[in-house]
Amino acid sequence: MKIFGTHISSGAFDYLSNHLGQINSIKEANNKLYRAFGIVNFFECENDFQLLKKSLLLTENIVSESDRAEYGDFQTNSELTNSIAYYLTTKKIQPSIVIEPTCGKGSFIIASLAHFNKIKQVFGIEIYKPYVWESKFNIIDFYLHNPSENKPDISIIHSSIFDFDFNSILKDIKTSELLIIGNPPWVTNSKLGSLNSSNLPEKRNYKNYSGIDAITGRSNFDIAEYITMMMIEQFQNKEGHVALLVKNSVIKNILFEQNIKKNAISGFEKHRIDSKKEFNVSVEASLFYFKLNTKPAYKCTEFDFYNNSEPTLNFGWLKDKFISNTKLYIDSKEVDGLCPFEWRQGVKHDCSSIMELEKRDGFFVNTLNETIELEDNLVYGILKSSDLKDIVVGKTRKFTIITQTKVGQETNYIERLFPKTFSYLNTHKKNFNTRKSSIYKNKPLFSIFGIGDYSFKPYKVAISGLYKTFHFTLVLPHNGKPIMLDDTCYMLGFSKKEFAVYTLLILNSDLVTRFLKSIIFLDAKRAFTKDVLMRIDLAQVANLIGKGKISEKLDVFNETYNTNLNMDLWNDFIEEISLVRNQQLELFN
Ligand SMILES: C[S@@+](CC[C@H](N)C(=O)[O-])C[C@H]1O[C@@H](n2cnc3c(N)ncnc32)[C@H](O)[C@@H]1O
């Protein structure tokens, strides 16, 4: 049965039809519903009261379902909310106040009413009016089936969480035990940006990231992360607990920030759920639990929600190091330091239809299937993450136009020196000018990013940021030209082939693999990042593995790839990486 486009059980429908028919005042109706079900101000205004009375006569779907993408709308099924509430009772949690920050249809509220019998007050906040109704209908239905259950005061508030004044409820919370429970929206601020949605907190850049990081995506965050942070800031000094279903990335970020923020929270638990089964989405998510008003803690224990007797691993801060698996970290921690070379992200152009080219019958063809004539000078082979499957790569499927040798360089020269290239780019000027990212604003025409001297080094050691394969690839020049990498990849550039191969052998060692496994988060979209790669102390690993072992590995490499490299430059290599390392250490000490 549907009313206002939301579901209503036949029990709740019959109850409301039978009891509201004769009532003409909103006050009387609200009193009746409060006495029967504990719901405070069931009708927020006269209009709502009249509307419901009228609608009870027509049980049609009056309001059609709108596009809910901007609200990150994934309602939690009652089996899961009940299991979560049950789990909390096994931890002896018996709250007197329950807050559901984005309550949707009220599944967590119902599960709380069913499992916690000491609740005195419930606050549910929800932005979408049909869900506010549905929560109330579901509460009626719950009490019609469970008339003897404890009936706290229940407020279901129609508001955006970002406008809700928590101080209005904070004053009631003194010594009472609080439970913040729910499943905040699964949507990122960049997705909201693309939907032109205003469902965002006011302080958009709330982590205070600045400059390029903010622009290129480091500031991209899930609004669930913001809501979780809001809850922490508001309630960390109150007795209580937080249990929220969130993406794993949110949990990782909250733990990461804990080292700086030192919030009064601890007892972190991450219980992995099967999002495909529960929400039919392919997102890694978990129940995130922690305790409020405690000495700050910095480590989180991970469990499988469906079999949560034994923890699977621990992650978080170990002194000043952030790690994904403490056990693995212990025997590879010597690797953790500072890479003497700077890892760089590949080329970024955000214009793939024009800039991604293939070669067919001697001509370049773009993804719009246009055949193009270009001078060779600015055309370079380019590799994507998916091209880095092998240990050595010396040619490419794709090509691109490298319009600049460093970020911000003027591009007028293209018209003068390479008329065919200019004509092609200029014909598609609109594609460049309509690129969304603000990094291209007020920059020369056809600008690209992720470009510098390092891009033109002949030998590169690269890794995909997206694939979780833990292997590094040697990228060789093709026809005398360096091969480029796209912005899903990270690379180190070398002038000497030997240096590149020594680095490759070091990075592909078991020790580095173990170390990387102990610090990367496999469920992150981009598992390998510059921050992660910069932690590999090449000089230290070279030392630990030793020249003899590397020499053996080099023999195997020579045999496999038909090369004839030797260890003659090893000492120069060690000298260079140690020198840079020592300079870095001086800087940091
Ligand atoms: C992932 S759903 C979960 C709903 C409910 N907590 C549950 O577990 O079933 C997220 C909910 O947040 C609501 N929502 C989105 N933005 C909101 C906002 N700014 N303020 C309050 N609620 C919001 C959505 O309408 C949706 O009902």
Side-chain angles (χ1 to χ4, degrees), residues 68-78 81 100-109 125-129 131-132 135 157-164 181-187 192 198-201 223-224 227 244-245 279:
R68 310 270 313 128
E70 66 177 305
Y71 298 104
D73 187 356
F74 294 92
Q75 301 294 311
T76 318
N77 65 67
S78 58
T81 53
E100 216 298 25
T102 57
C103 71
K105 300 178 182 181
S107 188
F108 273 106
I109 291 180
I125 298 133
E126 169 58 49
I127 198 169
Y128 187 48
K129 186 72 185 254
Y131 288 171
V132 173
S135 287
I157 300 145
H158 179 214
S159 165
S160 166
I161 176 104
F162 305 127
D163 301 332
F164 185 71
I181 190 168
N183 173 6
W186 298 25
V187 63
L192 291 177
S198 58
N199 191 15
L200 273 173
I223 65 168
I227 292 172
L244 297 173
L245 280 177
F279 298 100

Short mmCIF file of all heavy atoms in Angstrom, two decimals, residues 68-78 81 100-109 125-129 131-132 135 157-164 181-187 192 198-201 223-224 227 244-245 279, ligand 1:
data_model
loop_
_atom_site.label_atom_id
_atom_site.label_comp_id
_atom_site.label_asym_id
_atom_site.label_seq_id
_atom_site.Cartn_x
_atom_site.Cartn_y
_atom_site.Cartn_z
N ARG A 68 16.94 10.09 -6.65
CA ARG A 68 17.47 10.22 -5.30
C ARG A 68 19.01 10.15 -5.26
O ARG A 68 19.57 9.99 -4.18
CB ARG A 68 16.88 9.11 -4.41
CG ARG A 68 15.39 8.99 -4.47
CD ARG A 68 14.65 9.83 -3.44
NE ARG A 68 15.20 9.72 -2.13
CZ ARG A 68 15.55 10.76 -1.38
NH1 ARG A 68 15.38 11.97 -1.83
NH2 ARG A 68 16.04 10.60 -0.18
N ALA A 69 19.64 10.28 -6.44
CA ALA A 69 21.09 10.10 -6.48
C ALA A 69 21.81 11.04 -5.51
O ALA A 69 22.73 10.64 -4.80
CB ALA A 69 21.60 10.32 -7.89
N GLU A 70 21.36 12.30 -5.45
CA GLU A 70 22.08 13.27 -4.63
C GLU A 70 21.91 13.01 -3.13
O GLU A 70 22.58 13.63 -2.31
CB GLU A 70 21.65 14.69 -4.98
CG GLU A 70 20.22 14.99 -4.65
CD GLU A 70 19.86 16.45 -4.94
OE1 GLU A 70 20.54 17.33 -4.43
OE2 GLU A 70 18.89 16.67 -5.68
N TYR A 71 20.99 12.12 -2.79
CA TYR A 71 20.77 11.86 -1.36
C TYR A 71 21.44 10.57 -0.90
O TYR A 71 21.25 10.14 0.23
CB TYR A 71 19.26 11.82 -1.06
CG TYR A 71 18.63 13.15 -1.37
CD1 TYR A 71 17.87 13.33 -2.52
CD2 TYR A 71 18.87 14.25 -0.54
CE1 TYR A 71 17.34 14.57 -2.82
CE2 TYR A 71 18.34 15.49 -0.85
CZ TYR A 71 17.58 15.65 -1.99
OH TYR A 71 17.07 16.88 -2.29
N GLY A 72 22.22 9.95 -1.79
CA GLY A 72 22.97 8.74 -1.42
C GLY A 72 22.05 7.72 -0.77
O GLY A 72 22.37 7.16 0.28
N ASP A 73 20.92 7.50 -1.43
CA ASP A 73 19.81 6.80 -0.80
C ASP A 73 19.90 5.27 -0.92
O ASP A 73 19.56 4.71 -1.95
CB ASP A 73 18.52 7.32 -1.44
CG ASP A 73 17.29 6.80 -0.75
OD1 ASP A 73 17.43 5.97 0.17
OD2 ASP A 73 16.20 7.23 -1.13
N PHE A 74 20.38 4.63 0.13
CA PHE A 74 20.38 3.17 0.18
C PHE A 74 19.79 2.77 1.52
O PHE A 74 20.46 2.82 2.55
CB PHE A 74 21.81 2.62 0.04
CG PHE A 74 22.42 2.90 -1.30
CD1 PHE A 74 23.18 4.04 -1.49
CD2 PHE A 74 22.21 2.05 -2.37
CE1 PHE A 74 23.73 4.33 -2.73
CE2 PHE A 74 22.75 2.32 -3.61
CZ PHE A 74 23.51 3.47 -3.79
N GLN A 75 18.51 2.44 1.51
CA GLN A 75 17.83 2.12 2.78
C GLN A 75 18.30 0.76 3.29
O GLN A 75 18.44 -0.19 2.53
CB GLN A 75 16.31 2.10 2.55
CG GLN A 75 15.74 3.42 2.04
CD GLN A 75 15.87 4.55 3.05
OE1 GLN A 75 15.50 4.39 4.20
NE2 GLN A 75 16.40 5.69 2.60
N THR A 76 18.53 0.70 4.58
CA THR A 76 19.05 -0.54 5.16
C THR A 76 17.90 -1.51 5.46
O THR A 76 16.88 -1.09 6.03
CB THR A 76 19.79 -0.23 6.47
OG1 THR A 76 20.58 0.94 6.27
CG2 THR A 76 20.69 -1.37 6.89
N ASN A 77 18.09 -2.77 5.07
CA ASN A 77 17.02 -3.75 5.31
C ASN A 77 16.93 -4.07 6.81
O ASN A 77 17.91 -3.94 7.55
CB ASN A 77 17.23 -5.00 4.45
CG ASN A 77 18.49 -5.74 4.84
OD1 ASN A 77 18.58 -6.31 5.94
ND2 ASN A 77 19.49 -5.73 3.95
N SER A 78 15.74 -4.52 7.21
CA SER A 78 15.51 -4.67 8.66
C SER A 78 16.33 -5.83 9.24
O SER A 78 16.70 -5.80 10.41
CB SER A 78 14.03 -4.87 8.96
OG SER A 78 13.56 -5.98 8.27
N THR A 81 19.61 -4.13 10.10
CA THR A 81 19.54 -3.19 11.24
C THR A 81 19.30 -3.96 12.54
O THR A 81 19.88 -3.62 13.58
CB THR A 81 18.45 -2.11 11.05
OG1 THR A 81 17.21 -2.73 10.76
CG2 THR A 81 18.79 -1.15 9.94
N GLU A 100 19.36 9.05 15.09
CA GLU A 100 19.59 8.53 13.74
C GLU A 100 19.73 9.76 12.86
O GLU A 100 18.74 10.46 12.57
CB GLU A 100 18.39 7.67 13.32
CG GLU A 100 18.68 6.44 12.48
CD GLU A 100 19.31 6.63 11.12
OE1 GLU A 100 20.00 7.65 10.90
OE2 GLU A 100 19.13 5.73 10.29
N PRO A 101 20.96 10.12 12.45
CA PRO A 101 21.17 11.41 11.79
C PRO A 101 20.48 11.56 10.44
O PRO A 101 20.15 12.67 10.03
CB PRO A 101 22.68 11.51 11.63
CG PRO A 101 23.28 10.31 12.27
CD PRO A 101 22.19 9.37 12.65
N THR A 102 20.30 10.46 9.70
CA THR A 102 19.62 10.53 8.40
C THR A 102 18.73 9.29 8.32
O THR A 102 19.09 8.30 7.70
CB THR A 102 20.64 10.53 7.23
OG1 THR A 102 21.46 9.36 7.33
CG2 THR A 102 21.54 11.75 7.26
N CYS A 103 17.57 9.36 8.94
CA CYS A 103 16.87 8.12 9.31
C CYS A 103 16.13 7.41 8.18
O CYS A 103 15.68 6.27 8.36
CB CYS A 103 15.93 8.37 10.48
SG CYS A 103 14.49 9.36 10.05
N GLY A 104 15.98 8.05 7.02
CA GLY A 104 15.30 7.38 5.91
C GLY A 104 13.94 6.86 6.33
O GLY A 104 13.13 7.59 6.93
N LYS A 105 13.69 5.58 6.05
CA LYS A 105 12.39 5.01 6.37
C LYS A 105 12.34 4.49 7.81
O LYS A 105 11.38 3.84 8.21
CB LYS A 105 12.09 3.86 5.40
CG LYS A 105 12.06 4.31 3.94
CD LYS A 105 11.81 3.13 3.02
CE LYS A 105 11.83 3.60 1.56
NZ LYS A 105 11.57 2.49 0.64
N GLY A 106 13.43 4.70 8.55
CA GLY A 106 13.39 4.43 9.99
C GLY A 106 13.80 3.03 10.41
O GLY A 106 13.56 2.63 11.55
N SER A 107 14.48 2.32 9.51
CA SER A 107 14.82 0.94 9.84
C SER A 107 15.69 0.81 11.11
O SER A 107 15.48 -0.08 11.94
CB SER A 107 15.55 0.34 8.64
OG SER A 107 15.75 -1.00 8.81
N PHE A 108 16.64 1.74 11.29
CA PHE A 108 17.49 1.67 12.48
C PHE A 108 16.71 2.07 13.74
O PHE A 108 17.00 1.60 14.84
CB PHE A 108 18.71 2.59 12.34
CG PHE A 108 19.87 1.91 11.66
CD1 PHE A 108 20.20 2.21 10.35
CD2 PHE A 108 20.63 0.97 12.35
CE1 PHE A 108 21.27 1.58 9.73
CE2 PHE A 108 21.70 0.35 11.74
CZ PHE A 108 22.02 0.64 10.43
N ILE A 109 15.72 2.95 13.55
CA ILE A 109 14.93 3.38 14.71
C ILE A 109 14.08 2.20 15.20
O ILE A 109 14.05 1.89 16.39
CB ILE A 109 14.07 4.61 14.35
CG1 ILE A 109 15.00 5.81 14.14
CG2 ILE A 109 13.03 4.89 15.44
CD1 ILE A 109 14.33 7.10 13.77
N ILE A 125 16.42 12.27 11.97
CA ILE A 125 16.41 13.45 11.08
C ILE A 125 16.43 12.93 9.66
O ILE A 125 17.17 11.97 9.36
CB ILE A 125 17.64 14.35 11.36
CG1 ILE A 125 17.56 14.84 12.81
CG2 ILE A 125 17.71 15.54 10.41
CD1 ILE A 125 18.84 14.70 13.55
N GLU A 126 15.63 13.52 8.79
CA GLU A 126 15.58 13.04 7.40
C GLU A 126 15.16 14.19 6.50
O GLU A 126 14.24 14.94 6.80
CB GLU A 126 14.60 11.84 7.29
CG GLU A 126 14.23 11.41 5.91
CD GLU A 126 15.42 11.00 5.02
OE1 GLU A 126 16.28 10.21 5.45
OE2 GLU A 126 15.47 11.49 3.87
N ILE A 127 15.86 14.28 5.37
CA ILE A 127 15.64 15.41 4.46
C ILE A 127 14.43 15.19 3.54
O ILE A 127 13.84 16.14 3.05
CB ILE A 127 16.93 15.64 3.62
CG1 ILE A 127 16.95 17.02 2.99
CG2 ILE A 127 17.09 14.57 2.55
CD1 ILE A 127 18.30 17.40 2.37
N TYR A 128 14.09 13.93 3.32
CA TYR A 128 13.08 13.60 2.29
C TYR A 128 11.74 13.34 2.97
O TYR A 128 11.59 12.37 3.71
CB TYR A 128 13.58 12.37 1.54
CG TYR A 128 12.78 11.96 0.33
CD1 TYR A 128 12.41 12.89 -0.64
CD2 TYR A 128 12.44 10.63 0.14
CE1 TYR A 128 11.69 12.49 -1.75
CE2 TYR A 128 11.75 10.23 -0.98
CZ TYR A 128 11.37 11.17 -1.91
OH TYR A 128 10.68 10.76 -3.02
N LYS A 129 10.79 14.23 2.71
CA LYS A 129 9.52 14.20 3.44
C LYS A 129 8.80 12.84 3.35
O LYS A 129 8.33 12.32 4.37
CB LYS A 129 8.64 15.34 2.93
CG LYS A 129 7.35 15.54 3.69
CD LYS A 129 7.61 16.14 5.06
CE LYS A 129 6.34 16.21 5.87
NZ LYS A 129 5.77 17.53 6.02
N TYR A 131 9.95 9.99 3.32
CA TYR A 131 10.57 9.05 4.27
C TYR A 131 10.23 9.41 5.72
O TYR A 131 10.18 8.55 6.58
CB TYR A 131 12.09 9.01 4.10
CG TYR A 131 12.55 8.32 2.84
CD1 TYR A 131 13.89 8.38 2.46
CD2 TYR A 131 11.68 7.59 2.03
CE1 TYR A 131 14.34 7.74 1.31
CE2 TYR A 131 12.11 6.97 0.87
CZ TYR A 131 13.45 7.05 0.52
OH TYR A 131 13.89 6.43 -0.61
N VAL A 132 10.03 10.72 5.95
CA VAL A 132 9.63 11.13 7.30
C VAL A 132 8.29 10.48 7.61
O VAL A 132 8.08 9.87 8.66
CB VAL A 132 9.54 12.68 7.38
CG1 VAL A 132 8.97 13.11 8.73
CG2 VAL A 132 10.90 13.30 7.15
N SER A 135 8.78 6.68 8.04
CA SER A 135 9.33 6.34 9.36
C SER A 135 8.21 6.31 10.40
O SER A 135 8.11 5.40 11.21
CB SER A 135 10.36 7.38 9.82
OG SER A 135 11.53 7.25 9.09
N ILE A 157 12.28 14.24 12.55
CA ILE A 157 12.37 15.65 12.16
C ILE A 157 12.67 15.79 10.68
O ILE A 157 13.63 15.19 10.17
CB ILE A 157 13.48 16.35 13.00
CG1 ILE A 157 13.11 16.22 14.48
CG2 ILE A 157 13.66 17.80 12.60
CD1 ILE A 157 14.28 16.04 15.40
N HIS A 158 11.82 16.56 10.01
CA HIS A 158 12.03 16.79 8.57
C HIS A 158 13.01 17.95 8.41
O HIS A 158 12.64 19.11 8.52
CB HIS A 158 10.69 17.09 7.89
CG HIS A 158 10.85 17.35 6.44
ND1 HIS A 158 10.09 18.24 5.74
CD2 HIS A 158 11.73 16.83 5.53
CE1 HIS A 158 10.47 18.27 4.47
NE2 HIS A 158 11.47 17.43 4.33
N SER A 159 14.27 17.61 8.13
CA SER A 159 15.28 18.67 8.03
C SER A 159 16.52 18.08 7.37
O SER A 159 16.73 16.86 7.38
CB SER A 159 15.65 19.15 9.43
OG SER A 159 16.85 19.89 9.42
N SER A 160 17.33 18.97 6.82
CA SER A 160 18.64 18.50 6.39
C SER A 160 19.51 18.45 7.65
O SER A 160 19.44 19.35 8.50
CB SER A 160 19.27 19.47 5.40
OG SER A 160 20.64 19.15 5.27
N ILE A 161 20.31 17.42 7.75
CA ILE A 161 21.20 17.30 8.90
C ILE A 161 22.12 18.52 9.00
O ILE A 161 22.53 18.94 10.07
CB ILE A 161 22.03 15.99 8.80
CG1 ILE A 161 23.04 15.85 9.92
CG2 ILE A 161 22.79 15.87 7.52
CD1 ILE A 161 22.62 14.90 10.93
N PHE A 162 22.40 19.11 7.83
CA PHE A 162 23.32 20.26 7.82
C PHE A 162 22.66 21.52 8.40
O PHE A 162 23.34 22.47 8.74
CB PHE A 162 23.86 20.51 6.42
CG PHE A 162 24.52 19.29 5.83
CD1 PHE A 162 24.14 18.80 4.59
CD2 PHE A 162 25.49 18.61 6.55
CE1 PHE A 162 24.73 17.66 4.07
CE2 PHE A 162 26.09 17.47 6.04
CZ PHE A 162 25.70 16.99 4.79
N ASP A 163 21.32 21.52 8.47
CA ASP A 163 20.63 22.68 9.04
C ASP A 163 20.15 22.40 10.45
O ASP A 163 19.64 23.28 11.13
CB ASP A 163 19.38 23.03 8.20
CG ASP A 163 19.74 23.35 6.77
OD1 ASP A 163 20.87 23.80 6.56
OD2 ASP A 163 18.90 23.11 5.87
N PHE A 164 20.29 21.16 10.88
CA PHE A 164 19.70 20.79 12.17
C PHE A 164 20.57 21.31 13.32
O PHE A 164 21.80 21.18 13.29
CB PHE A 164 19.57 19.27 12.25
CG PHE A 164 18.87 18.82 13.50
CD1 PHE A 164 17.51 19.05 13.66
CD2 PHE A 164 19.57 18.20 14.52
CE1 PHE A 164 16.86 18.65 14.82
CE2 PHE A 164 18.93 17.81 15.68
CZ PHE A 164 17.57 18.04 15.83
N ILE A 181 23.21 6.02 15.70
CA ILE A 181 23.15 4.82 14.87
C ILE A 181 22.56 5.19 13.52
O ILE A 181 21.71 6.09 13.44
CB ILE A 181 22.30 3.73 15.60
CG1 ILE A 181 22.41 2.39 14.90
CG2 ILE A 181 20.84 4.13 15.77
CD1 ILE A 181 21.86 1.21 15.71
N GLY A 182 23.01 4.54 12.46
CA GLY A 182 22.41 4.83 11.17
C GLY A 182 23.29 4.48 10.00
O GLY A 182 24.28 3.74 10.13
N ASN A 183 22.92 5.06 8.88
CA ASN A 183 23.58 4.76 7.62
C ASN A 183 23.54 6.05 6.80
O ASN A 183 22.62 6.26 6.03
CB ASN A 183 22.80 3.62 6.95
CG ASN A 183 23.30 3.33 5.55
OD1 ASN A 183 24.29 3.90 5.09
ND2 ASN A 183 22.60 2.46 4.86
N PRO A 184 24.50 6.95 7.04
CA PRO A 184 24.45 8.24 6.34
C PRO A 184 24.67 8.09 4.84
O PRO A 184 25.16 7.05 4.38
CB PRO A 184 25.57 9.04 7.00
CG PRO A 184 26.41 8.08 7.76
CD PRO A 184 25.64 6.83 7.96
N PRO A 185 24.27 9.12 4.05
CA PRO A 185 24.24 9.01 2.59
C PRO A 185 25.55 8.56 1.94
O PRO A 185 26.62 9.03 2.33
CB PRO A 185 23.90 10.42 2.13
CG PRO A 185 23.47 11.16 3.32
CD PRO A 185 23.90 10.44 4.53
N TRP A 186 25.42 7.70 0.95
CA TRP A 186 26.60 7.19 0.24
C TRP A 186 26.78 8.01 -1.02
O TRP A 186 26.42 7.61 -2.11
CB TRP A 186 26.40 5.72 -0.15
CG TRP A 186 26.24 4.79 0.99
CD1 TRP A 186 25.78 5.10 2.24
CD2 TRP A 186 26.50 3.39 1.01
NE1 TRP A 186 25.75 3.97 3.02
CE2 TRP A 186 26.19 2.91 2.29
CE3 TRP A 186 26.97 2.48 0.06
CZ2 TRP A 186 26.32 1.58 2.65
CZ3 TRP A 186 27.11 1.16 0.41
CH2 TRP A 186 26.79 0.72 1.69
N VAL A 187 27.32 9.18 -0.87
CA VAL A 187 27.54 10.02 -2.05
C VAL A 187 28.71 10.94 -1.76
O VAL A 187 28.89 11.39 -0.63
CB VAL A 187 26.24 10.77 -2.44
CG1 VAL A 187 25.79 11.74 -1.36
CG2 VAL A 187 26.36 11.50 -3.76
N LEU A 192 28.02 15.13 -6.04
CA LEU A 192 27.00 16.16 -5.80
C LEU A 192 27.27 17.36 -6.71
O LEU A 192 26.35 17.94 -7.27
CB LEU A 192 27.01 16.61 -4.34
CG LEU A 192 26.52 15.57 -3.34
CD1 LEU A 192 26.63 16.10 -1.92
CD2 LEU A 192 25.08 15.18 -3.62
N SER A 198 22.76 20.83 -3.97
CA SER A 198 23.16 21.67 -2.85
C SER A 198 23.15 20.86 -1.55
O SER A 198 23.20 21.42 -0.47
CB SER A 198 22.21 22.86 -2.74
OG SER A 198 20.91 22.35 -2.57
N ASN A 199 23.07 19.54 -1.67
CA ASN A 199 23.02 18.72 -0.45
C ASN A 199 24.43 18.57 0.13
O ASN A 199 25.00 17.49 0.17
CB ASN A 199 22.43 17.35 -0.77
CG ASN A 199 22.12 16.57 0.50
OD1 ASN A 199 22.09 17.14 1.59
ND2 ASN A 199 21.92 15.27 0.36
N LEU A 200 24.96 19.70 0.53
CA LEU A 200 26.34 19.75 1.03
C LEU A 200 26.42 20.62 2.27
O LEU A 200 25.63 21.55 2.41
CB LEU A 200 27.24 20.40 -0.02
CG LEU A 200 27.84 19.54 -1.09
CD1 LEU A 200 28.53 20.41 -2.11
CD2 LEU A 200 28.86 18.58 -0.48
N PRO A 201 27.38 20.31 3.13
CA PRO A 201 27.59 21.24 4.25
C PRO A 201 28.08 22.57 3.72
O PRO A 201 28.61 22.64 2.60
CB PRO A 201 28.68 20.55 5.06
CG PRO A 201 29.32 19.58 4.14
CD PRO A 201 28.29 19.19 3.14
N ILE A 223 29.88 12.39 1.77
CA ILE A 223 29.22 13.25 2.77
C ILE A 223 28.96 12.48 4.06
O ILE A 223 28.84 13.07 5.12
CB ILE A 223 28.00 14.05 2.27
CG1 ILE A 223 26.86 13.19 1.86
CG2 ILE A 223 28.37 15.01 1.19
CD1 ILE A 223 25.60 14.04 1.67
N ALA A 224 28.99 11.12 3.97
CA ALA A 224 28.89 10.33 5.20
C ALA A 224 30.08 10.62 6.11
O ALA A 224 29.97 10.58 7.34
CB ALA A 224 28.84 8.85 4.87
N ILE A 227 29.33 13.78 7.86
CA ILE A 227 28.30 13.60 8.89
C ILE A 227 28.89 12.87 10.11
O ILE A 227 28.64 13.25 11.25
CB ILE A 227 27.07 12.85 8.30
CG1 ILE A 227 26.38 13.76 7.28
CG2 ILE A 227 26.10 12.41 9.39
CD1 ILE A 227 25.28 13.12 6.46
N LEU A 244 27.72 3.30 12.77
CA LEU A 244 27.23 3.79 11.49
C LEU A 244 27.70 2.88 10.36
O LEU A 244 28.84 2.41 10.38
CB LEU A 244 27.76 5.20 11.22
CG LEU A 244 27.32 6.31 12.18
CD1 LEU A 244 28.06 7.60 11.89
CD2 LEU A 244 25.80 6.55 12.08
N LEU A 245 26.82 2.66 9.40
CA LEU A 245 27.24 1.93 8.20
C LEU A 245 27.84 2.95 7.26
O LEU A 245 27.16 3.90 6.86
CB LEU A 245 26.02 1.30 7.51
CG LEU A 245 25.48 0.01 8.07
CD1 LEU A 245 24.23 -0.41 7.30
CD2 LEU A 245 26.53 -1.10 7.99
N PHE A 279 22.81 -4.12 -0.26
CA PHE A 279 22.34 -2.91 -0.94
C PHE A 279 22.39 -3.01 -2.47
O PHE A 279 22.08 -2.04 -3.15
CB PHE A 279 23.19 -1.70 -0.50
CG PHE A 279 23.10 -1.40 0.95
CD1 PHE A 279 24.10 -1.81 1.83
CD2 PHE A 279 22.00 -0.73 1.47
CE1 PHE A 279 24.01 -1.55 3.18
CE2 PHE A 279 21.92 -0.46 2.82
CZ PHE A 279 22.91 -0.87 3.68
C1 LIG B 1 21.97 5.57 2.89
S1 LIG B 1 20.34 6.18 3.19
C2 LIG B 1 20.05 5.43 4.72
C3 LIG B 1 18.74 5.68 5.34
C4 LIG B 1 18.56 5.07 6.72
N1 LIG B 1 19.52 5.63 7.64
C5 LIG B 1 18.73 3.58 6.67
O1 LIG B 1 19.73 3.10 7.18
O2 LIG B 1 17.89 2.91 6.11
C6 LIG B 1 20.68 7.85 3.48
C7 LIG B 1 19.49 8.70 3.85
O3 LIG B 1 19.96 10.01 4.07
C8 LIG B 1 18.98 10.92 3.64
N2 LIG B 1 19.67 12.20 3.44
C9 LIG B 1 20.46 12.56 2.42
N3 LIG B 1 20.94 13.80 2.62
C10 LIG B 1 20.46 14.20 3.82
C11 LIG B 1 20.61 15.39 4.57
N4 LIG B 1 21.35 16.40 4.12
N5 LIG B 1 19.99 15.48 5.75
C12 LIG B 1 19.23 14.46 6.23
N6 LIG B 1 19.04 13.32 5.56
C13 LIG B 1 19.65 13.19 4.36
C14 LIG B 1 18.45 10.27 2.38
O4 LIG B 1 17.20 10.79 1.99
C15 LIG B 1 18.41 8.80 2.80
O5 LIG B 1 17.18 8.49 3.39
#
